Amino acid sequence: MILRPSLLNHSCDPNCYRVYDGRTFILRAVKTIQPGEQLFISYISMLTTYKQRQAKLWETYHFRCHCHRCVSECQKSSPYHIMYAAIGDISDEEKEAIMEEGFSTIEEVDRMGHRQIVTVCQQLAEKYKDVLHPANILTLKVFNKLRRVFTELQEEDSKILEAMKMVVGSYKYYPFKLEDYDYGIQLLDLGSLQMLMERFDQSRKTFTESIEVLSVVVGPHHPLTVLARKSQDIVARKLHLRH
């Protein structure tokens, strides 16, 4: 049992990320931390709405979060409000109803077969494309689900690529993107697929972004960061041979 790290408190906008290397626990700073400032980690995924986080934290840890993100997220002046963004003139009530309906459907598709999941997610994407902003977290969730199912079905690389690009495109709007492990992995996967499809210029740029995120979150010597750097070197050699 690791006792001291278990004393770390939660924030939905943490300044640290925990990394395990075998039996070794490593706490990495993902933001600038001032002397005397409290250290926080996130107990749950940051890629969730205020309501989802509060429900998960209460169900699992039996507390309500009052961090600055939770207090301000639903205010339009908050940088996190982009996760709820819509296109056009719709009321907050209409947007909330749309998102609740969409998230409910996303939860239900996990009980469906792969082909049915694809059909439902494509219907959702078409339904919301002129309503929800690309940065809206529901948009990201829909395309991330498509990405995973396309990969499992071994669909055409072009289909997987487009879904991946939509996911990464949504992430780019989020204020915590450079501090989120999942974003670093999404970039690594996207760069790998671009390399496989011989889109080397795009791949090199994507690997660079992945290295930037992973170096902060898990460290420059972590196997994933090393993999991204080696992949970037392979792409550089490919581009050199082309010229």
Side-chain angles (χ1 to χ4, degrees), residues 81-127:
H81 193 69
I82 190 68
M83 298 173 73
Y84 303 86
I87 299 172
D89 187 21
I90 65 172
S91 68
D92 290 341
E93 291 76 15
E94 289 174 307
K95 180 173 63 177
E96 184 173 352
I98 289 169
M99 291 183 67
E100 286 186 359
E101 176 192 49
F103 279 120
S104 177
T105 304
I106 286 293
E107 290 178 6
E108 291 173 4
V109 299
D110 286 332
R111 296 187 287 271
M112 302 175 184
H114 280 15
R115 292 296 177 189
Q116 193 174 1
I117 292 174
V118 170
T119 299
V120 171
C121 286
Q122 287 178 331
Q123 288 173 345
L124 287 175
E126 181 65 24
K127 181 178 180 179

Side-chain angles (χ1 to χ4, degrees), residues 15 33-40:
N15 53 17
I33 300 173
Q34 300 301 326
E37 184 179 348
Q38 186 174 352
L39 305 181
F40 291 98

Side-chain angles (χ1 to χ4, degrees), residues 44 58 64 70 90 92 96 125 130 148 151 177 179 183 185 202 209-211 220:
I44 57 176
W58 181 256
R64 306 288 186 194
C70 285
I90 65 172
D92 290 341
E96 184 173 352
D130 297 323
R148 290 177 180 173
T151 302
K177 63 180 181 294
E179 304 142 19
Y183 182 51
I185 296 301
Q202 297 173 18
E209 294 175 2
S210 177
I211 292 166

Side-chain angles (χ1 to χ4, degrees), residues 67-224:
C67 71
H68 73 92
R69 176 181 173 183
C70 285
V71 170
S72 66
E73 182 167 292
C74 295
Q75 300 172 8
K76 292 184 178 179
S77 58
S78 168
Y80 294 97
H81 193 69
I82 190 68
M83 298 173 73
Y84 303 86
I87 299 172
D89 187 21
I90 65 172
S91 68
D92 290 341
E93 291 76 15
E94 289 174 307
K95 180 173 63 177
E96 184 173 352
I98 289 169
M99 291 183 67
E100 286 186 359
E101 176 192 49
F103 279 120
S104 177
T105 304
I106 286 293
E107 290 178 6
E108 291 173 4
V109 299
D110 286 332
R111 296 187 287 271
M112 302 175 184
H114 280 15
R115 292 296 177 189
Q116 193 174 1
I117 292 174
V118 170
T119 299
V120 171
C121 286
Q122 287 178 331
Q123 288 173 345
L124 287 175
E126 181 65 24
K127 181 178 180 179
Y128 297 140
K129 70 176 184 179
D130 297 323
V131 179
L132 300 181
H133 190 280
N136 190 288
I137 189 170
L138 177 56
T139 302
L140 184 150
K141 294 286 186 179
V142 168
F143 281 99
N144 200 33
K145 186 72 70 176
L146 277 173
R147 177 190 72 85
R148 290 177 180 173
V149 175
F150 281 155
T151 302
E152 290 171 10
L153 288 172
Q154 298 183 330
E155 287 280 7
E156 297 172 10
D157 289 340
S158 59
K159 288 185 178 181
I160 302 172
L161 179 67
E162 288 309 308
M164 279 185 171
K165 287 168 66 176
M166 288 297 295
V167 172
V168 169
S170 296
Y171 249 118
K172 288 182 182 294
Y173 290 95
Y174 300 159
F176 55 79
K177 63 180 181 294
L178 297 181
E179 304 142 19
D180 189 29
Y181 171 84
D182 289 335
Y183 182 51
I185 296 301
Q186 294 279 5
L187 288 167
L188 181 57
D189 287 347
L190 175 58
S192 299
L193 182 57
Q194 289 169 331
M195 180 172 65
L196 181 66
M197 297 176 70
E198 299 187 356
R199 301 186 180 189
F200 297 129
D201 285 319
Q202 297 173 18
S203 182
R204 180 170 59 177
K205 180 180 177 182
T206 305
F207 282 133
T208 299
E209 294 175 2
S210 177
I211 292 166
E212 181 183 5
V213 177
L214 293 173
S215 294
V216 171
V217 180
V218 296
H221 305 298
H222 189 278
L224 289 170

